[in-house]
mmCIF file of all heavy atoms in Angstrom:
data_model
loop_
_atom_site.group_PDB
_atom_site.id
_atom_site.type_symbol
_atom_site.label_atom_id
_atom_site.label_comp_id
_atom_site.label_asym_id
_atom_site.label_seq_id
_atom_site.Cartn_x
_atom_site.Cartn_y
_atom_site.Cartn_z
ATOM 1 N N ALA A 173 0.672 -9.061 -5.623
ATOM 2 C CA ALA A 173 1.573 -9.347 -6.742
ATOM 3 C C ALA A 173 2.047 -10.795 -6.642
ATOM 4 O O ALA A 173 1.986 -11.554 -7.614
ATOM 5 C CB ALA A 173 2.761 -8.386 -6.727
ATOM 6 N N SER A 174 2.515 -11.199 -5.466
ATOM 7 C CA SER A 174 2.942 -12.588 -5.295
ATOM 8 C C SER A 174 1.788 -13.558 -5.550
ATOM 9 O O SER A 174 1.965 -14.588 -6.202
ATOM 10 C CB SER A 174 3.471 -12.812 -3.867
ATOM 11 O OG SER A 174 4.786 -12.313 -3.731
ATOM 12 N N GLU A 175 0.629 -13.213 -5.052
ATOM 13 C CA GLU A 175 -0.522 -14.107 -5.194
ATOM 14 C C GLU A 175 -0.951 -14.276 -6.644
ATOM 15 O O GLU A 175 -1.209 -15.392 -7.107
ATOM 16 C CB GLU A 175 -1.696 -13.566 -4.369
ATOM 17 C CG GLU A 175 -1.470 -13.653 -2.873
ATOM 18 C CD GLU A 175 -1.325 -15.089 -2.389
ATOM 19 O OE1 GLU A 175 -2.201 -15.915 -2.659
ATOM 20 O OE2 GLU A 175 -0.306 -15.382 -1.737
ATOM 21 N N SER A 176 -1.021 -13.180 -7.380
ATOM 22 C CA SER A 176 -1.503 -13.303 -8.761
ATOM 23 C C SER A 176 -0.479 -14.005 -9.647
ATOM 24 O O SER A 176 -0.855 -14.741 -10.557
ATOM 25 C CB SER A 176 -1.919 -11.941 -9.321
ATOM 26 O OG SER A 176 -0.933 -10.996 -9.083
ATOM 27 N N LEU A 177 0.814 -13.815 -9.355
ATOM 28 C CA LEU A 177 1.826 -14.530 -10.140
ATOM 29 C C LEU A 177 1.760 -16.032 -9.881
ATOM 30 O O LEU A 177 1.971 -16.841 -10.782
ATOM 31 C CB LEU A 177 3.223 -13.983 -9.841
ATOM 32 C CG LEU A 177 3.484 -12.603 -10.440
ATOM 33 C CD1 LEU A 177 4.745 -11.980 -9.852
ATOM 34 C CD2 LEU A 177 3.598 -12.686 -11.963
ATOM 35 N N PHE A 178 1.457 -16.390 -8.658
ATOM 36 C CA PHE A 178 1.267 -17.817 -8.376
ATOM 37 C C PHE A 178 0.092 -18.367 -9.184
ATOM 38 O O PHE A 178 0.193 -19.404 -9.837
ATOM 39 C CB PHE A 178 1.023 -18.052 -6.881
ATOM 40 C CG PHE A 178 0.657 -19.473 -6.567
ATOM 41 C CD1 PHE A 178 1.648 -20.445 -6.443
ATOM 42 C CD2 PHE A 178 -0.671 -19.850 -6.428
ATOM 43 C CE1 PHE A 178 1.316 -21.771 -6.186
ATOM 44 C CE2 PHE A 178 -1.015 -21.180 -6.167
ATOM 45 C CZ PHE A 178 -0.019 -22.137 -6.042
ATOM 46 N N LEU A 179 -1.016 -17.661 -9.135
ATOM 47 C CA LEU A 179 -2.208 -18.129 -9.853
ATOM 48 C C LEU A 179 -1.954 -18.253 -11.351
ATOM 49 O O LEU A 179 -2.506 -19.129 -12.011
ATOM 50 C CB LEU A 179 -3.389 -17.179 -9.616
ATOM 51 C CG LEU A 179 -3.953 -17.132 -8.193
ATOM 52 C CD1 LEU A 179 -5.108 -16.155 -8.117
ATOM 53 C CD2 LEU A 179 -4.396 -18.521 -7.737
ATOM 54 N N ALA A 180 -1.104 -17.359 -11.874
ATOM 55 C CA ALA A 180 -0.824 -17.387 -13.308
ATOM 56 C C ALA A 180 0.324 -18.329 -13.652
ATOM 57 O O ALA A 180 0.629 -18.533 -14.827
ATOM 58 C CB ALA A 180 -0.505 -15.968 -13.800
ATOM 59 N N GLY A 181 0.996 -18.897 -12.650
ATOM 60 C CA GLY A 181 2.100 -19.826 -12.903
ATOM 61 C C GLY A 181 3.342 -19.160 -13.450
ATOM 62 O O GLY A 181 4.127 -19.788 -14.163
ATOM 63 N N ILE A 182 3.527 -17.882 -13.129
ATOM 64 C CA ILE A 182 4.674 -17.138 -13.656
ATOM 65 C C ILE A 182 5.689 -16.889 -12.546
ATOM 66 O O ILE A 182 5.320 -16.409 -11.463
ATOM 67 C CB ILE A 182 4.227 -15.783 -14.251
ATOM 68 C CG1 ILE A 182 3.187 -16.007 -15.352
ATOM 69 C CG2 ILE A 182 5.429 -14.999 -14.773
ATOM 70 C CD1 ILE A 182 2.529 -14.723 -15.826
ATOM 71 N N HIS A 183 6.952 -17.173 -12.828
ATOM 72 C CA HIS A 183 8.023 -16.915 -11.871
ATOM 73 C C HIS A 183 8.176 -15.404 -11.682
ATOM 74 O O HIS A 183 8.265 -14.671 -12.667
ATOM 75 C CB HIS A 183 9.329 -17.523 -12.384
ATOM 76 C CG HIS A 183 10.392 -17.641 -11.341
ATOM 77 N ND1 HIS A 183 10.990 -16.547 -10.766
ATOM 78 C CD2 HIS A 183 10.934 -18.740 -10.759
ATOM 79 C CE1 HIS A 183 11.880 -16.973 -9.877
ATOM 80 N NE2 HIS A 183 11.863 -18.280 -9.850
ATOM 81 N N PRO A 184 8.222 -14.933 -10.435
ATOM 82 C CA PRO A 184 8.261 -13.479 -10.199
ATOM 83 C C PRO A 184 9.478 -12.780 -10.782
ATOM 84 O O PRO A 184 9.439 -11.583 -11.044
ATOM 85 C CB PRO A 184 8.238 -13.351 -8.668
ATOM 86 C CG PRO A 184 8.575 -14.703 -8.141
ATOM 87 C CD PRO A 184 8.120 -15.683 -9.172
ATOM 88 N N LEU A 185 10.580 -13.530 -10.994
ATOM 89 C CA LEU A 185 11.797 -12.912 -11.531
ATOM 90 C C LEU A 185 11.843 -12.880 -13.055
ATOM 91 O O LEU A 185 12.766 -12.317 -13.633
ATOM 92 C CB LEU A 185 13.028 -13.655 -11.002
ATOM 93 C CG LEU A 185 13.295 -13.486 -9.503
ATOM 94 C CD1 LEU A 185 14.288 -14.528 -9.004
ATOM 95 C CD2 LEU A 185 13.817 -12.097 -9.223
ATOM 96 N N ARG A 186 10.898 -13.481 -13.703
ATOM 97 C CA ARG A 186 10.891 -13.488 -15.172
ATOM 98 C C ARG A 186 10.811 -12.067 -15.714
ATOM 99 O O ARG A 186 10.079 -11.233 -15.192
ATOM 100 C CB ARG A 186 9.708 -14.314 -15.674
ATOM 101 C CG ARG A 186 9.536 -14.292 -17.187
ATOM 102 C CD ARG A 186 8.431 -15.255 -17.612
ATOM 103 N NE ARG A 186 8.890 -16.639 -17.557
ATOM 104 C CZ ARG A 186 9.504 -17.259 -18.573
ATOM 105 N NH1 ARG A 186 9.708 -16.630 -19.708
ATOM 106 N NH2 ARG A 186 9.899 -18.502 -18.444
ATOM 107 N N ARG A 187 11.592 -11.806 -16.751
ATOM 108 C CA ARG A 187 11.553 -10.486 -17.367
ATOM 109 C C ARG A 187 10.164 -10.196 -17.922
ATOM 110 O O ARG A 187 9.549 -11.054 -18.540
ATOM 111 C CB ARG A 187 12.570 -10.409 -18.505
ATOM 112 C CG ARG A 187 13.927 -9.913 -18.079
ATOM 113 C CD ARG A 187 14.939 -10.052 -19.190
ATOM 114 N NE ARG A 187 14.511 -9.410 -20.442
ATOM 115 C CZ ARG A 187 15.333 -9.187 -21.465
ATOM 116 N NH1 ARG A 187 16.596 -9.533 -21.382
ATOM 117 N NH2 ARG A 187 14.879 -8.626 -22.562
ATOM 118 N N ALA A 188 9.705 -8.974 -17.729
ATOM 119 C CA ALA A 188 8.343 -8.624 -18.163
ATOM 120 C C ALA A 188 8.153 -8.844 -19.654
ATOM 121 O O ALA A 188 7.098 -9.327 -20.086
ATOM 122 C CB ALA A 188 8.037 -7.177 -17.801
ATOM 123 N N ASP A 189 9.171 -8.520 -20.448
ATOM 124 C CA ASP A 189 9.005 -8.656 -21.896
ATOM 125 C C ASP A 189 9.210 -10.089 -22.377
ATOM 126 O O ASP A 189 9.198 -10.349 -23.576
ATOM 127 C CB ASP A 189 9.924 -7.681 -22.646
ATOM 128 C CG ASP A 189 11.401 -7.951 -22.386
ATOM 129 O OD1 ASP A 189 11.732 -8.882 -21.607
ATOM 130 O OD2 ASP A 189 12.236 -7.223 -22.949
ATOM 131 N N ARG A 190 9.396 -11.003 -21.432
ATOM 132 C CA ARG A 190 9.499 -12.417 -21.818
ATOM 133 C C ARG A 190 8.337 -13.241 -21.290
ATOM 134 O O ARG A 190 8.434 -14.455 -21.177
ATOM 135 C CB ARG A 190 10.836 -12.997 -21.359
ATOM 136 C CG ARG A 190 11.987 -12.373 -22.150
ATOM 137 C CD ARG A 190 13.264 -13.160 -21.971
ATOM 138 N NE ARG A 190 14.327 -12.561 -22.786
ATOM 139 C CZ ARG A 190 15.613 -12.788 -22.589
ATOM 140 N NH1 ARG A 190 15.996 -13.586 -21.617
ATOM 141 N NH2 ARG A 190 16.505 -12.222 -23.363
#
Side-chain angles (χ1 to χ4, degrees):
Chain A
S174 282
E175 291 297 306
S176 49
L177 287 167
F178 173 82
L179 293 180
I182 302 170
H183 195 293
L185 291 165
R186 175 174 284 272
R187 269 172 54 167
D189 62 359
R190 292 194 178 162

